[in-house]
Amino acid sequence: MRVEPSRISFNRLAVIWFSALTVVTIAALCAWFVVTVRAGSRPMAGDWVGICQDGKPFLLLKLTPATNGYTGSISLGNAKITSPPSATNGSCTVNDPASPEHAMKIARAWMAGETLTLDSDRGQEYEMRLTGNDTAKLRFIATNRDESWFALRRAGR
């Protein structure tokens, strides 16, 4: 007895092909939508500027949403801290303003409650908290100034 191999018709092959293609397309659209919605709900995303009391920028911070938190860069100017370590609000004067050319990559950024913690690629840690839609405060961790918070504002606003 001879068994003839089953043949798949062109129509059946087309249905299988388009069904698989549809499933893959829907999965890709769902993944894109989830990432886009999560990124859009990241209130700290954007360009931030820290201005000293002399009106010059001591800090430029760029935060871009990513699936695991934020990516971006941070640039620090040459500033003299004029507030005592125990001051609630930090004050400073700028010798050389922060510039994008001297920005450090943010190695990690993660949320813990209301606080975003940032690690630069040079090892310095920072904490940031929103104080309004376009205002925030930032402090330097593990320095003698770690109790002072410095005011930030979203650039362009």
Side-chain angles (χ1 to χ4, degrees):
M1 176 178 334
R2 186 171 177 196
V3 177
E4 203 169 304
S6 65
R7 293 184 180 185
I8 298 177
S9 68
F10 176 77
N11 289 342
R12 191 168 196 186
L13 180 63
V15 167
I16 292 170
W17 173 257
F18 286 115
S19 296
L21 186 60
T22 301
V23 168
V24 169
T25 302
I26 289 172
L29 286 173
C30 288
W32 172 82
F33 181 75
V34 167
V35 169
T36 302
V37 168
R38 286 186 65 196
S41 66
R42 303 286 174 94
M44 293 188 184
D47 295 336
W48 295 88
V49 179
I51 304 289
C52 283
Q53 284 64 28
D54 60 4
K56 298 176 187 170
F58 75 94
L59 178 134
L60 300 175
L61 175 62
K62 183 177 190 72
L63 293 174
T64 305
T67 52
N68 60 346
Y70 292 93
T71 61
S73 63
I74 188 167
S75 175
L76 299 170
N78 182 354
K80 178 181 179 185
I81 307 298
T82 57
S83 56
S86 60
T88 303
N89 296 316
S91 60
C92 57
T93 57
V94 174
N95 297 325
D96 292 314
S99 67
E101 295 82 32
H102 297 104
M104 299 174 283
K105 182 180 172 194
I106 293 174
R108 293 185 327 145
W110 67 95
M111 292 292 297
E114 298 290 316
T115 303
L116 174 68
T117 302
L118 309 164
D119 279 344
S120 74
D121 62 355
R122 296 197 186 137
Q124 177 63 48
E125 247 184 27
Y126 313 89
E127 285 184 342
M128 180 179 170
R129 292 185 185 153
L130 289 178
T131 56
N133 284 338
D134 294 323
T135 58
K137 57 185 180 177
L138 178 128
R139 71 180 183 155
F140 303 88
I141 305 300
T143 67
N144 61 351
R145 304 284 181 209
D146 63 352
E147 294 179 36
S148 297
W149 290 87
F150 293 86
L152 303 179
R153 67 174 168 75
R154 208 178 299 260
R157 298 186 188 187

